[in-house]
Amino acid sequence: MTETGNVQRIPGYCALCTSKCGCISVVKDERMIALEPDPSHPTGQALCGKGRAAPELVHHDERLLYPLRRTRPKGEADPGWERISWDEALDTVASELNAIAAQHGPESVAFGITTPSGTGLQDAYTWVERLRHAFGSPNAVFGTEICNFHRDDVYAFTFGVGTPMPDFTNTDCILLWGHNPSATWLAYASRVAAAKARGAKLVVVDPRREGLANKADQWLRVRPGSDGALALGLAHVLIKSGNFDADFVRN
Ligand code: SF4
């Protein structure tokens, strides 16, 4: 942390999504006034609009800062929120959960977990999972993104492992297919941009000219739903030219 007069600059990372961009919180008179990128951090080259809006979130009038209990029935215009202590909140939740488990079994409870990719839950969802396991429920309800399922699961189904971070440092060609990391994973987009600046070629398959498509050496503007034809065409070219690892594919 550095301090100049009444302004503090505190290094950290933005926890608002999975990108975890390195940043500097600028605090003046004990009030956060800005969030700035921290280029000295591995993921701190840039911040998106949501990250830069952090002061608005931190100081928003309706930000929830402590537990509240509803005192009026659901559906009433005024829920009658009243402030309670953390101990009381945790005791209430624990006793309600235990009562349900005693009557219906722990598997009758589903633990809902919102997407860690687009929210601040990235650092916390493993704790929810730990609670779920300790409680004895097999039911986790996850939210995910349309661009995420194939990344997490299709690679695992196809190759047996999830996709690792691509070798952006050494690659000569990057293909982004239906993936706009400028909007969904800023640190990833920064690595692509750095590879492009180093001389790597960038090919983007996207109906829209968004984000890195603007910097692409080739922007392949497929019609929505026609990716399959492009994939088959590429496979045809690879097979015809022999530019693929036949042993790997065979085995
Ligand atoms: S991409 Fe935006 S919201 Fe996500 S960590 Fe970076 S600055 Fe925060």
Side-chain angles (χ1 to χ4, degrees), residues 14 16-17 19-21 47-48 50-51 186:
C14 174
L16 290 175
C17 85
S19 186
K20 296 186 175 177
C21 300
L47 299 178
C48 75
K50 185 165 74 171
L186 204 54

Side-chain angles (χ1 to χ4, degrees), residues 12-13 19-23 38-46 186-188 190-191 194:
Y13 68 88
S19 186
K20 296 186 175 177
C21 300
C23 61
D38 179 1
S40 71
H41 190 285
T43 59
Q45 300 306 310
L186 204 54
Y188 194 105
S190 298
R191 291 183 197 187

Side-chain angles (χ1 to χ4, degrees), residues 154-198:
V154 175
Y155 271 79
F157 291 151
T158 308
F159 303 120
V161 291
T163 175
M165 178 64 80
D167 185 8
F168 289 126
T169 309
N170 296 301
T171 187
D172 293 326
C173 183
I174 297 168
L175 172 62
L176 297 178
W177 194 314
H179 182 26
N180 179 15
S182 303
T184 57
W185 191 348
L186 204 54
Y188 194 105
S190 298
R191 291 183 197 187
V192 173
K196 173 99 178 77
R198 176 177 56 72

